[in-house]
Amino acid sequence: MAGYEPKEIERRWQRVWADERTWEVANPGQPGYEEGKPKSYVLEMLPYPSGEPHVGHLKCYAVGDSIAHFRRRHGFEVIHPMGYDSFGLPAENNAIKTGEPPRVATERSIESFRRQFREWGISIDWSRELATHTPEYYRWTQWIFLQLFENDLAYRTEAPVQWCPKDATVLANEQVVDGRCERCGTEVVQRNLEQWFFRITEYADRLLEDFEALESWPEHVITMQRNWIGRSEGAEVVFRCDEVDLDFPVFTTRPDTLFGATFFVLAPEHPELERLVAGTAAEAEVREYVNRVGRESAEERGAEDREKTGVPLGRSVVNPVNGEEIPMFVADYVLMEYGTGAIMAVPGHDSRDYEFAQRFGLPVKRVIAGEDPEAARGDDGLPYPGDGEMTGSGRFDGKDNREAYDEIVAWLGSEGRGRPAVNYRLRDWLVSRQRYWGAPIPVVYCDECGIVPVPEDQLPVELPEVEDYAPQGKSPLAAAEEWVATDCPRCGGAARRETDTMDTFVDSSWYFLRYLDAQNRAAAWDREAADFWMPVDQYIGGVEHAILHLMYARFFTKALADLGHLGVQEPFANLFTQGMITRDGAKMSKSKGNTVSPGDYVERYGADTARTYVCFMGPPERGGDWTDEGVEGVNRFLSRLWRLCEEAEERTQAGEPDAAAEGQARELVAKAHWAIDKATRDFQRGFQFNTVISAVMELVNDAYRLKDGLYGTDEGGAAVRFATATAASLIFPFAPHLGSEVYERLTGDRVWERPWPEADPDLLASDTVTLVVQVNGKLRDRIEAPAETPKEELLRLARASEKVAKHLNGQQIVKEIVVPGKLVNLVVR
RNA sequence: GCCGGAGUGGCGGAACUGGCAUACGCGAUCGACUCAAAAUCGAUUGCCCUUGCGGGCUUGUGGGUUCGAAUCCCACCUCCGGCACCA
């Protein structure tokens, strides 16, 4: 008998799947389309092709592929495509270092990913493959940009933006982590620049509301997005500064504390600051303060234990609720980018305002009764952030603050001094990048006509070849003079092309739609094809995309639906986030030298072992630590299944197992049905692949234990063959090559063409049960009893047990609990 | 600070609706096969006491509910992730 040779087996089946194009599916109306079959769109996040795939990729695609196989065998027409998110900084930075064009390095990496996906045996419909850096793809990225532009969802404006000095480009808010560039870790600085934005804030409420429409997303991902959008309801209230004849609106979530406002604070970037202090005694000090704050990084400014700082302006505003004049300050704890960049300060009921008041000796006024022992710092129990009866609030005194809330806002409204308002933390999505390796933004600038979109029939605006990829504070494209100089599509006069490129997150915000009609040369996708396949039924990827990619893709889907290009509001009905694999308890990184190359393990143990191992390590949504011993354990299991197959093929006959079999034959067949049942349920219950695989291991273990006693008879042999083929069928989603091989050898059939097996309920039920006997809740004996034994008989058996009698030792039984089929508990006193 | 998630053998983890805690895998020990080793097959393996039979203890800690708690409730501790001067 030959040993388990995964290489040979895997090559053989990979050839079959490639030659027969097994995993390709047709759109409605195309040849090969099967009417009436339900569809399922199974999608893993597309990889960013840089170097070679790592274990994170292996896990993601192993998990997704097992789901695709499971669904196919449940009668679904499964679309399972693959592509590459192939624009982006790393390829460009590599180009700057080595001089190798980004396209060359990227395409080499794509080739490597493609080869490994085939070697892993992932069931991909290759006819739908795409790469976002190809003109065939980004032509449509540009088309979407124009769709947004023409519908006022893309706009160009000057705004304070986050600039990474190292990568020499602006970044979206979402790409700044702790005040640092997400990619390179450099501290970002604020700059005022004219940039392209997508109006995602327009969709803030719908992005929040439609969480309801999702079938199954991890709760923490929804929470993260909800926090990121950061919706808060409140009111806008106008404070007036008569001295300079200016109104200062503020946003507050606590209009009920308006009577407690004792001072007023502007952000250092506030545009009216200059006017307020020009020519006054405060001017020099304010200017110095603003400059100092401007030099500080976002990280310094946001530091937790930072003392409150600020400077009085020597001006005051009038509180609209009581006419009180309150002094104005500039302080960096007020942020220009949130609300109106100005706040009313209520030190009695806000801890930050309280801190500031303490430092500057400002009055603290209580306007809500109540005490919060946790938050209170002052002697009088202030600041108090909670609810209670209003006090010191004129006509509102004595009212419950929550009840008075709307009343105050309505009253202010009638006076023209306020209105209900909603604020978001979410900012519009900044999409322009001063970099080379991305999709050009398809607009031109004409002295006569201004910003002019490139007409659709002139797309794509192709990325020109350049010599120097290094950014010089503007896009490297600016150096491609011949490309930049163009004619205005509107007036025909001289014009210049936009030289910024799009954020790569734009590319990946719609790729799941292109798969549906990847060869379409006339449109980004056919509406009918999109209506048929969308939404993605199961999306799989890393949790690191919880905010960025997943929120942008949701926004795109809604915008495209509004423009009539799609019939769904949400792209991903179900989301599964896989946990990260570590090594020696630490995140893998080249600098730590603890990376695992999937290729090496596939070479040594085969793809089936590598794939099954990452699914067996633990629940896939959680992380796990990679160990070579664990890999070997899984390899041992697959080898055992292989040897069992070899032996069964030789020593048993093909055919169905005997339903009337008894004894060990029945035991093994029953175990196979138990494994079917458990594997199916655990698969459906949140993709608990680790226990699915352990059930198959148990089945194989039992087959080994029983096989030598079964080979002699027809019914025994049939039981072994059935158990082995069943194990192959159940392990197929994880180890598709070995599963196919074993199943074909024992049944003559191709396992992926066979429906997923169903457990026979008759074989799941056992004739006898092990009755657990407890005394006062403690296990004292186990008794075998027929399954249908009545309660009284079970009690009699329990009392008759010698072991039980010892623990009863003459005490009186005060209570008897019988759970039929499970246990008897005797309570004594 | 706020919001999530998690604490179970030497290790990764299992336990469905409150009912046999520790499935499966790793590691370890012993045995068979072998001249030998590897591979393979088989047995043992939570901790403590006991020669044995057997007994006691055990799911982060403390309390509660219950005939019965890893599971439900209360308080606390630790770790991981996200957000954080957001008015």
Side-chain angles (χ1 to χ4, degrees):
Chain A
M1 268 196 303
Y4 173 44
E5 295 286 350
K7 244 189 216 163
E8 215 170 283
I9 296 168
E10 292 178 4
R11 220 176 345 221
R12 177 179 164 216
W13 290 102
Q14 282 159 20
R15 161 115 351 128
V16 169
W17 298 328
D19 288 351
E20 300 184 8
R21 302 167 164 233
T22 311
W23 315 120
E24 289 184 19
V25 291
N27 286 355
Q30 288 181 339
Y33 170 69
E34 261 185 79
E35 199 76 44
K37 219 171 156 187
K39 68 94 187 180
S40 187
Y41 189 173
V42 177
L43 182 66
E44 301 96 53
M45 290 179 187
L46 87 177
Y48 174 75
S50 165
E52 305 263 316
H54 53 72
V55 269
H57 293 114
L58 175 68
K59 182 166 177 182
C60 181
Y61 301 112
V63 166
D65 202 39
S66 67
I67 295 168
H69 279 310
F70 190 78
R71 296 257 163 103
R72 284 191 193 99
R73 294 182 62 200
H74 276 86
F76 288 93
E77 184 79 339
V78 171
I79 184 170
H80 188 224
M82 181 62 75
Y84 312 95
D85 185 16
S86 40
F87 271 139
L89 266 182
E92 191 172 346
N93 288 340
N94 172 65
I96 294 163
K97 225 187 297 166
T98 65
E100 183 179 45
R103 175 172 290 105
V104 175
T106 299
E107 287 177 357
R108 188 174 54 235
S109 179
I110 287 176
E111 189 42 55
S112 161
F113 272 71
R114 189 184 283 136
R115 199 192 71 241
Q116 296 214 33
F117 289 151
R118 286 191 188 271
E119 284 174 5
W120 298 351
I122 310 289
S123 60
I124 293 162
D125 178 349
W126 289 105
S127 72
R128 297 170 185 267
E129 189 186 23
L130 60 81
T132 61
H133 77 288
T134 57
E136 297 76 37
Y137 182 87
Y138 69 69
R139 168 189 180 155
W140 302 112
T141 307
Q142 292 171 339
W143 174 78
I144 292 172
F145 179 96
L146 294 176
Q147 288 286 307
L148 296 178
F149 177 71
E150 279 151 24
N151 291 280
D152 195 33
L153 289 169
Y155 63 95
R156 187 171 165 84
T157 193
E158 186 180 306
V161 297
Q162 319 269 9
W163 171 270
C164 171
K166 174 126 182 289
D167 287 335
T169 182
V170 297
L171 299 167
N173 278 17
E174 289 78 7
Q175 288 160 332
V176 178
V177 179
D178 293 333
R180 290 168 181 277
C181 170
E182 176 197 47
R183 291 232 85 100
C184 68
T186 308
E187 274 193 21
V188 300
V189 294
Q190 297 250 335
R191 280 199 178 182
N192 262 322
L193 291 170
E194 211 176 289
Q195 299 289 328
W196 283 97
F197 292 87
F198 286 163
R199 224 179 272 287
I200 190 171
T201 51
E202 190 89 348
Y203 285 78
D205 278 332
R206 282 166 64 188
L207 287 167
L208 286 170
E209 285 158 17
D210 286 355
F211 286 133
E212 302 297 321
L214 302 171
E215 282 172 42
S216 158
W217 272 42
E219 205 47 54
H220 67 278
V221 173
I222 292 177
T223 305
M224 279 163 71
Q225 285 200 15
R226 191 166 272 142
N227 289 344
W228 187 265
I229 295 167
R231 182 183 202 272
S232 26
E233 279 186 42
E236 195 170 283
V237 182
V238 180
F239 285 65
R240 181 164 184 79
C241 177
D242 286 321
E243 297 152 291
V244 293
D245 192 23
L246 273 179
D247 276 340
F248 286 94
V250 299
F251 174 74
T252 177
T253 53
R254 294 294 303 273
D256 54 313
T257 63
L258 259 163
F259 285 89
T262 58
F263 59 103
F264 192 92
V265 190
L266 297 178
E269 299 84 0
H270 199 284
E272 303 296 354
L273 208 49
E274 186 65 31
R275 201 164 145 192
L276 280 163
V277 296
T280 72
E283 183 172 6
E285 208 191 334
V286 168
R287 189 157 294 160
E288 201 234 323
Y289 179 75
V290 169
N291 287 340
R292 197 175 76 218
V293 171
R295 281 194 303 273
E296 289 184 330
S297 69
E299 199 179 20
E300 286 170 316
R301 189 169 161 180
E304 196 180 338
D305 45 4
R306 188 181 165 93
E307 294 255 4
K308 293 273 180 292
T309 61
V311 175
L313 299 183
R315 302 277 190 190
S316 57
V317 285
V318 176
N319 185 341
V321 292
N322 54 14
E324 266 177 34
E325 293 229 345
I326 55 175
M328 296 178 89
F329 288 80
V330 57
D332 67 357
Y333 82 95
V334 175
L335 309 174
M336 192 59 223
E337 58 271 23
Y338 187 78
T340 62
I343 62 154
M344 64 167 198
V346 184
H349 301 281
D350 180 283
S351 60
R352 296 154 303 176
D353 297 342
Y354 183 83
E355 253 180 72
F356 191 85
Q358 290 288 299
R359 265 185 79 83
F360 287 81
L362 295 160
V364 179
K365 195 174 153 194
R366 172 187 283 281
V367 289
I368 308 281
E371 206 156 317
D372 179 356
E374 297 267 324
R377 271 169 289 182
D379 299 336
D380 44 3
L382 295 175
Y384 168 61
D387 294 325
E389 198 172 277
M390 294 178 69
T391 165
S393 300
R395 50 191 274 216
F396 297 98
D397 279 1
K399 291 195 173 173
D400 178 89
N401 72 314
R402 289 287 148 192
E403 281 165 24
Y405 193 104
D406 291 338
E407 238 178 282
I408 295 175
V409 177
W411 172 52
L412 282 167
S414 69
E415 304 275 311
R417 306 309 290 169
R419 59 181 179 85
V422 175
N423 240 289
Y424 303 91
R425 210 187 81 106
L426 182 70
R427 308 258 67 86
D428 272 342
W429 175 14
L430 198 175
V431 295
S432 32
R433 296 290 179 275
Q434 290 69 52
R435 299 299 301 240
Y436 171 74
W437 192 231
I441 293 173
V443 300
V444 303
Y445 299 97
C446 169
D447 286 340
E448 294 299 314
C449 315
I451 297 174
V452 181
V454 174
E456 251 181 64
D457 59 9
Q458 290 176 29
L459 297 182
V461 175
E462 281 206 45
L463 194 58
E465 299 293 332
V466 300
E467 297 283 308
D468 185 5
Y469 303 101
Q472 277 105 21
K474 54 184 180 175
S475 168
L477 288 182
E481 264 305 321
E482 277 180 39
W483 178 84
V484 173
T486 186
D487 298 334
C488 171
R490 198 163 290 163
C491 70
R496 298 178 65 76
R497 290 192 188 280
E498 166 69 64
T499 58
D500 284 357
T501 54
M502 282 186 253
D503 180 5
T504 54
F505 279 103
V506 179
D507 307 325
S508 57
S509 293
W510 73 280
Y511 75 103
F512 47 91
L513 298 166
R514 184 61 181 171
Y515 284 140
L516 307 179
D517 203 7
Q519 310 304 328
N520 195 332
R521 303 181 73 84
W525 60 83
D526 176 59
R527 170 76 199 258
E528 220 178 298
D531 285 348
F532 176 73
W533 292 112
M534 284 298 283
V536 172
D537 294 278
Q538 185 63 59
Y539 200 33
I540 301 117
V543 74
E544 64 273 18
H545 294 107
I547 295 172
L548 289 153
H549 163 61
L550 289 168
M551 198 174 64
Y552 294 150
R554 294 182 63 216
F555 159 59
F556 259 46
T557 301
K558 290 179 192 305
L560 290 164
D562 288 353
L563 301 180
H565 302 301
L566 280 180
V568 291
Q569 287 292 325
E570 284 291 333
F572 314 124
N574 298 282
L575 173 69
F576 184 84
T577 54
Q578 97 258 6
M580 198 176 39
I581 297 177
T582 57
R583 177 106 202 223
D584 308 320
K587 196 171 164 173
M588 290 184 200
S589 75
K590 284 192 187 120
S591 57
K592 277 192 218 113
N594 64 342
T595 55
V596 169
S597 155
D600 292 350
Y601 286 85
V602 170
E603 175 68 23
R604 193 155 8 138
Y605 299 102
D608 285 338
T609 293
R611 293 179 55 165
T612 308
Y613 174 62
V614 294
C615 291
F616 180 65
M617 293 171 80
E621 71 275 15
R622 276 201 252 160
D625 204 55
W626 181 285
T627 65
D628 288 359
E629 291 79 10
V631 179
E632 276 172 34
V634 168
N635 187 250
R636 222 162 4 234
F637 156 65
L638 294 180
S639 304
R640 272 161 73 82
L641 176 56
W642 169 259
R643 286 193 300 272
L644 189 62
C645 166
E646 293 260 282
E647 210 177 86
E649 199 185 3
E650 197 181 295
R651 301 185 61 175
T652 70
Q653 301 298 312
E656 288 296 303
D658 188 347
E662 302 229 335
Q664 294 199 330
R666 186 191 159 91
E667 188 185 340
L668 185 56
V669 171
K671 183 72 182 185
H673 281 271
W674 168 87
I676 292 167
D677 181 61
K678 169 135 180 91
T680 309
R681 277 189 295 119
D682 287 358
F683 207 115
Q684 285 162 341
R685 196 158 49 94
F687 310 125
Q688 282 188 40
F689 299 149
N690 52 330
T691 56
V692 172
I693 294 163
S694 83
V696 185
M697 287 174 168
E698 282 196 54
L699 173 58
V700 170
N701 288 348
D702 271 19
Y704 264 76
R705 182 167 59 81
L706 298 170
K707 65 186 168 63
D708 290 330
L710 292 170
Y711 283 137
T713 63
D714 282 356
E715 67 172 32
V720 173
R721 190 173 272 249
F722 174 74
T724 310
T726 299
S729 177
L730 298 177
I731 207 66
F732 167 76
F734 312 99
H737 313 88
L738 181 66
S740 299
E741 180 79 16
V742 171
Y743 198 83
E744 193 198 51
R745 281 182 178 224
L746 297 180
T747 69
D749 288 328
R750 291 173 154 186
V751 66
W752 66 86
E753 291 171 358
R754 303 290 306 153
W756 189 255
E758 271 182 56
D760 179 350
D762 287 347
L763 283 158
L764 290 179
S766 161
D767 298 342
T768 63
V769 293
T770 307
L771 185 72
V772 170
V773 186
Q774 299 177 333
V775 176
N776 284 353
K778 286 202 166 125
L779 173 71
R780 294 304 176 192
D781 199 7
R782 291 167 221 260
I783 299 170
E784 285 291 318
E788 300 304 319
T789 314
K791 272 190 173 192
E792 293 70 31
E793 178 62 10
L794 290 175
L795 266 177
R796 200 192 57 75
L797 284 167
R799 276 186 300 234
S801 156
E802 249 177 69
K803 288 177 183 166
V804 169
K806 260 173 67 180
H807 290 277
L808 292 179
N809 57 30
Q811 295 173 94
Q812 200 188 352
I813 296 174
V814 293
K815 199 162 183 180
E816 292 164 329
I817 286 121
V818 183
V819 183
K822 283 216 169 114
L823 87 164
V824 171
N825 188 11
L826 304 175
V827 186
V828 297
R829 199 163 23 112

